[in-house]
Amino acid sequence: MIHEAKLRFHELYGKTPLIVTSPGRINLIGEHTDYNEGYVLPAAIDKKIVYAVALNGTDTVNAYATFTGEKQSFSLKNIKPSPGWINYLMGVVYHLQQRGYDVKGFDCVVHGDIPVGAGLSSSAAVEGGLVASLDTLLGFGLERMEMAKIGQIAEHTFPGVKCGIMDQFANLHGRKDR
């Protein structure tokens, strides 16, 4: 999958990207209880979202999603929710900006093998992967919990899903073989 993301990125943007992987999650107990103060036991899984991403020197975000075959763009100025998968990216960028982070224009390919709508937190993986990518590229120095909160508020305000923090937490704190 990493090779495919790099290849598609190079085809579309002609440069070498940073690669970031972002896992999906399962939940062993407590489905839909985290936002009602219930107990949960989530774990990151081997299904993932892969980001191939690089800065582009503009004030525009260009994104290609392999799961839809669509390329979409948006300006970093005056970001507003719009239909479709791009909302997840827009929400993350918007909420980084609201916290005072200077997000620069970037190009990205979003690729993965998490089935959309299967309850494996594909949206949290998209959000977590992007915030981690931008943190690495732009040196924000964000803590993992802050990244999770950005993903959660992005999901609340852009696609409009009033989720708890469990999905983003498991995505950003999960570790391989632990």
Side-chain angles (χ1 to χ4, degrees), residues 5-62:
K6 280 183 183 178
L7 183 63
R8 181 54 56 107
F9 187 89
H10 192 269
E11 288 171 359
L12 291 168
Y13 306 113
K15 42 191 165 178
T16 302
L18 167 73
I19 299 294
V20 173
T21 63
S22 182
R25 69 102 190 114
I26 57 167
N27 193 30
L28 301 175
I29 63 168
E31 203 65 40
H32 298 290
T33 62
D34 63 317
Y35 44 86
N36 292 312
E37 300 183 28
Y39 294 106
V40 295
L41 182 57
I45 60 173
D46 62 347
K47 301 289 186 196
K48 62 187 161 286
I49 295 295
V50 176
Y51 269 91
V53 61
L55 297 176
N56 63 23
T58 72
D59 67 351
T60 300
V61 172
N62 301 302

Side-chain angles (χ1 to χ4, degrees), residues 102-125:
D102 185 19
V103 180
K104 306 289 186 194
F106 61 93
D107 301 322
C108 68
V109 167
V110 186
H111 184 51
D113 63 357
I114 304 172
V116 176
L120 299 176
S121 299
S122 59
S123 60

Side-chain angles (χ1 to χ4, degrees), residues 65 67-68 70 72 80-91 123 126 158-160:
F67 48 88
T68 63
E70 294 176 333
Q72 294 192 24
K80 302 251 189 260
S82 68
W85 61 270
I86 197 73
N87 261 322
Y88 295 96
L89 280 63
M90 293 171 79
S123 60
V126 167
F158 277 70

